[in-house]
Every structure is written in C-alpha cells, then in structure tokens.
Amino acid sequence: MLRIDKLNFSYGDLKVLWDVDLEVRDREIVTVVGANGAGKSTILKNVSRLVRPSSGALRFGDVDLRRLASHEVVELGVVHVPEGRRIFPEMTVLENLRMGSFPRATRQDRARNIERAFTLFPRLKERQKQLGGTMSGGEQQMLAIARGLMGNPKLLLLDEPSLGLSPLLVKNIFEIIREINRQGTTILLVEQNVYQSLRLASRAYVLETGRVVLSGTGAELLDNAHVKKAFLGM
C-alpha cells in the first residue's frame, strides 16, 4: 500500500532522515519506534506532503506522492492525525468531526462516520456540543483520531497518539487503534511508547538518529536484545 525507498530529508543544513526504507501492506499496523528526535514524525510529514524530501521515493499504490499536494494526498485516502492533537478548540466536538469530512468524496458518508466515531468513542457522543478546547487531553486525542476517521482513510497516519496520557487512557487508546484496524483500516503508527506499540504491530521499524536500524515483526523486536536495552530498560 505504502512504499518508501531511500528517503532523505533535511531541515536546512540539518539532515534528519538518512536512506529510510519502509513499507506498509494492506490491513497491517506498522509501527515506527524510537527516541524523541529520531525523525519519526518527519517520516509521516513526508508521506502527507507537509514537507518535501531531499531525495527518495514515496508511493501509495501506483501513485507517486511526491507529485501531489497535501489535500490531494488526503483525497487519495491517506489521513494524518498529527502529534499534539491539533483540534479546532473553538469548535464543538460535532463541528470538529464535520471538518474531518471536508473532502467532497467523504461528505456522503458524514452521518455514518459520525455514528462510527460515537461508537468507538462514547465519550465524544456525550460531549458532542462541548467546545473541543475545554476537554481533557485524553478526550481531545479521541477527537483527533475520530476526526481523522471522518475522511474514510485507507491509510491512517497516527503520530504519538498516547503522548501525555495517563496509563489507563494509553491502554484505552491502543485498544481503539486495534479495533480501527480490525474494521479494515491500515495504520502507520509513530510512537515513543515502545512496549505498547510493538505489542500492537504487525511489523515495526526502529529509528535511531534518522536511520532504520532494525525491522521485523512486533514480537521479534520485543524480544530483541538491543530494543530491550535501549527502550525497555531490560
């Protein structure tokens, strides 16, 4: 579904990604783990065309993503839920959800997708008339993911969905991500919570200082000595 070959990226003179190879197959959950500043979020920004690579290939199916603008990537079915939630704080929950179905092709499914969001996140149904900015961090994260689902994603890019959440909410968010995938959505997940994300992943990549240093199934990387020492404190 998604193939990244020899991706290089720099912020000015600062090189961030070095020859990154990565692929996501249909209906997988693929996780990219690594320390803060390793370049994980930058991979997602390149896929969604928020930034432009220095070199390398980005393909979604048969489409060269490098030729597209960000809104065209969304129309293909690649939806990015960014780090930090980025909801519209002065809009209600329901208005935020409606904004997620802004692409014309998704509008006919708006009512069905709102019901899906309320089923996955019952708290949002209770708070549908509340302003997004007045909700807790966990509720805002639920809203950010639900808004992403309003775009009928074929590939959902999730950037640090557990960041800043309590352990109970982290567990809940990962359970919901698993359910979204079970319903048929392919997911590329960037996370600092290495243990939870590797447990969830079909396959995973370990990124260190902009380079992929390990890849394999989630179970294989959980059992890897380097991963245990570097990220799990074992």
Side-chain angles (χ1 to χ4, degrees), residues 14-215:
L14 177 63
K15 190 159 185 179
V16 178
L17 298 177
W18 305 72
D19 291 331
V20 170
D21 293 332
L22 182 152
E23 69 175 23
V24 182
R25 302 163 192 159
D26 189 31
R27 304 214 170 196
E28 282 190 318
I29 299 176
V30 172
T31 298
V32 181
V33 298
N36 188 33
K40 305 183 304 296
S41 297
T42 304
I43 293 175
L44 299 191
K45 290 177 181 177
N46 273 272
V47 173
S48 59
R49 307 300 290 129
L50 295 175
V51 297
R52 296 182 178 276
S54 307
S55 62
L58 293 160
R59 299 195 70 85
F60 182 67
D62 295 329
V63 180
D64 184 354
L65 295 180
R66 295 173 303 171
R67 298 177 179 272
L68 303 182
S70 292
H71 70 276
E72 294 172 317
V73 173
V74 174
E75 289 166 0
L76 277 180
V78 181
V79 176
H80 187 173
V81 179
E83 180 182 352
R85 293 125 198 183
R86 307 285 182 91
I87 63 165
F88 299 103
E90 297 182 1
M91 290 184 176
T92 66
V93 167
L94 193 56
E95 288 168 340
N96 268 274
L97 291 177
R98 287 173 175 159
M99 287 298 293
S101 59
F102 184 79
R104 187 177 300 277
T106 68
R107 295 176 195 175
Q108 63 184 1
D109 299 320
R110 182 176 286 166
R112 176 177 61 82
N113 283 334
I114 287 174
E115 285 307 309
R116 180 192 184 196
F118 287 162
T119 299
L120 285 168
F121 303 99
R123 183 70 61 85
L124 297 183
K125 185 171 185 178
E126 297 170 7
R127 306 283 177 100
Q128 60 183 288
K129 296 182 180 179
Q130 185 172 335
L131 295 180
T134 66
M135 298 198 304
S136 70
E139 291 165 343
Q140 290 185 21
Q141 185 61 70
M142 293 175 190
L143 179 55
I145 295 172
R147 184 182 60 189
L149 293 175
M150 293 293 295
N152 287 339
K154 297 174 183 175
L155 174 62
L156 186 64
L157 311 177
L158 294 176
D159 193 352
E160 303 286 4
S162 74
L163 186 65
L165 303 185
S166 69
L168 183 60
L169 279 175
V170 168
K171 181 180 178 182
N172 187 30
I173 287 293
F174 277 101
E175 288 173 351
I176 290 168
I177 292 170
R178 187 187 301 277
E179 175 59 20
I180 291 169
N181 176 252
R182 191 194 67 78
Q183 292 178 5
T185 302
T186 305
I187 295 171
L188 177 55
L189 170 67
V190 156
E191 257 293 340
Q192 289 187 59
N193 189 322
V194 174
Y195 178 71
Q196 290 285 1
S197 55
L198 290 182
R199 286 186 63 208
L200 188 69
S202 313
R203 292 182 305 105
Y205 297 82
V206 177
L207 200 67
E208 293 184 358
T209 58
R211 295 175 171 87
V212 174
V213 296
L214 289 169
S215 64

